[in-house]
Amino acid sequence: MWRDHLTEIIVFAVLFLLVSGMGFVAARWRAPNDMAHLDEWGLGGRSFGGWITWFLVGGDLYTAYTFVAVPALLFGAGAAGFFAVPYTIIIYPLVFLVLVRLWSVSHRHGFVTPADFVRKRFDSPTLALIIAITGIVATMPYIALQLVGIEAVLKTMGVTGESTIARHLPIIIAFAILAAYTYQSGLRAPALIAFVKDTLIYIVILVAIVYLPYKLGGWGSIFDAADAKFDKSPSPNDGILLNANNQLQYVTLALGSALALFLYPHSITGVLASRSRDVIKRNMSALPAYSLLLGLIALLGYAAIAAGVTPLPGSTEGTVDNNTVVPLLFEQQFPSWFAGVAFAAIGIGALVPAAIMSIAAANLFTRNIYKEYLNKDASAAQEANVSKITSLVVKVGAVACIVFLDPQFSIDLQLIGGVIILQTLPAVALGLYTRWFHRGALIAGWAAGMGLGMWMLYQIPNPATKRLHFGGSAFPLEKFGFDGSTKTIYVGLVAVAVNLLVAVLLTLVLRAAKVTEGVDGTERDDYFADEGDPRLVPSPREEAEMAAADPAEPAPKV
């Protein structure tokens, strides 16, 4: 009952309301003269410095779901759950140079989304539309997944009800508040709240990583308890070490997840909001600090085993909800007030990425669907207004996913989302370095990769939920004709490899057939432009400053 968790609920509610108030105040933080512009509402004026960007991007990538799901995976399967640690380490060297090129060309031409870049680079509205729709579809389950983290906390605190609406009412209220301050403050809201969210998470994890081993007999005892549990597991893939069966899945999942991470629209939104290339470079060097934190978070799964935590029942009869192991661990091992702080860190950790994701999805719809096909002459104010409304619709859709779908299905959908977003890699990531690919070949490659990926995902069951299809992203090699093999491989990596192969071969064919390729709207120097470069499209703030400095001469337009 919730009355047994009154202290936790009060602490959680106070901190939650505090950051909600900060979300509304954020509209006045670094306030522009006019918020009715997509650069201001959707990208924070493109003016965030090193610290703000570090907290914003970190808060965007390391979410509430990370806090509960990574330890839950270690709790349930062991070492395979550590895949999240190496992939968040190798990604930063991979994208170090890619993202600065994207920043430069985007600021040079005023791009707000990756689809804007693809439209200009390959002179193809169709390809841009595909990239935009892919980004929106991949982002939606990711937003819904943030609610899974909040739901695990609420379930642990006993805040549940009998009916579907009563059970989800706290989540509906939380997202209504989120929708209100995001509508008013735009990207400034999650940027400001990220300071509080990440500070809370760092405090909670650093305390836990010292206190829990002390209470549970040291790390040796914790690993021994985990090893003893997995020795009794019926699955040959479970254990505190990898084995021959799961090494291929581990490597391909880590690499595929790394390649997908900064293709998500919300990741790119945080990058484009920064004010210079140097800010991005410093952040790509400093963000691995979050990966250290992630490694410590992951170990909470083993600590929960040593503490004897039993997960709460799942939504499907006969199943358990492993996502509750971390909230239960804090509830059982810490004083109520500190457990409340930990729960608030998870809850607030859901709001920051959910806000950024909804803004990113709204920007894609506004720039690449609404303006491209519905209102080509839309003003800056109309764009901002449409994006605000779309962000509300996206949040409503995310809440609907949680209310009407099995939460476990949302988790599987997120895994599917990684496979989907990877299919934009040739056009977006490789397109930043080469115009060699033919636009028609990129469309065909996307279709081939997406088709194969969906077919492979359809073949994967989920025994835990008794679902026969779309039950994960680990594809058995046996289905590719490797008889007797028990190994699996990450679907996304196979699909994007086929995508690239088709794009390369068809580019050669189309070029030999002399099919028109369109005109590249970018130049080589666009990819190296930096802060202060006169070729950059001025932001609304810069336009206002230039107009104030010389009222007689309008701000230059590039």
Side-chain angles (χ1 to χ4, degrees), residues 171-381:
I171 288 180
I172 295 172
I173 294 172
F175 257 57
I177 296 172
L178 168 67
Y181 66 65
T182 303
Y183 185 91
Q184 176 178 315
S185 305
L187 194 65
R188 286 173 172 80
L192 187 59
I193 294 173
F195 283 92
V196 178
K197 171 251 184 186
D198 290 343
T199 300
L200 282 177
I201 288 181
Y202 267 99
I203 291 172
V204 167
I205 294 305
L206 292 177
V207 170
I209 217 68
V210 172
Y211 178 74
L212 286 174
Y214 167 77
K215 192 171 182 181
L216 298 174
W219 284 112
S221 297
I222 291 174
F223 276 91
D224 287 343
D227 194 28
K229 177 198 172 185
F230 294 128
D231 279 345
K232 301 173 184 176
S233 172
S235 172
N237 293 331
D238 295 349
I240 62 172
L241 297 175
L242 297 174
N243 57 50
N245 289 326
N246 58 16
Q247 287 175 354
L248 179 63
Q249 170 67 15
Y250 183 91
V251 171
T252 55
L253 180 57
L255 178 58
S257 299
L259 294 175
L261 187 61
F262 275 96
L263 290 172
Y264 278 105
H266 57 275
S267 303
I268 293 175
T269 295
V271 170
L272 296 186
S274 59
R275 76 168 172 244
S276 70
R277 289 165 61 99
D278 284 344
V279 168
I280 298 172
K281 291 176 182 178
R282 290 198 300 270
N283 270 273
M284 292 304 107
S285 301
L287 278 168
Y290 278 97
S291 300
L292 172 62
L293 186 68
L294 179 59
L296 300 178
I297 290 173
L299 290 173
L300 295 179
Y302 287 167
I305 295 174
V309 171
T310 301
L312 294 175
S315 55
T316 304
E317 186 177 352
T319 64
V320 295
D321 184 2
N322 280 349
N323 289 320
T324 60
V325 297
V326 169
L328 286 171
L329 176 67
F330 279 96
E331 182 194 44
Q332 295 172 10
Q333 301 296 321
F334 287 92
S336 296
W337 69 268
F338 190 80
V341 173
F343 295 164
I346 297 173
I348 297 166
L351 299 183
V352 172
I356 303 171
M357 291 170 192
S358 65
I359 290 170
N363 289 346
L364 280 167
F365 175 82
T366 301
R367 289 298 291 263
N368 308 114
I369 298 177
Y370 172 75
K371 187 169 184 178
E372 182 72 42
Y373 294 98
L374 303 179
N375 187 2
K376 289 185 177 293
D377 299 321
S379 65

Side-chain angles (χ1 to χ4, degrees), residues 101 104 117 121 277 432 522-529:
R101 291 176 71 90
S104 291
F117 161 72
R121 177 69 148 163
R277 289 165 61 99
L432 287 165
T522 68
E523 300 175 357
R524 183 181 182 279
D525 288 347
D526 293 345
Y527 298 90
F528 301 95

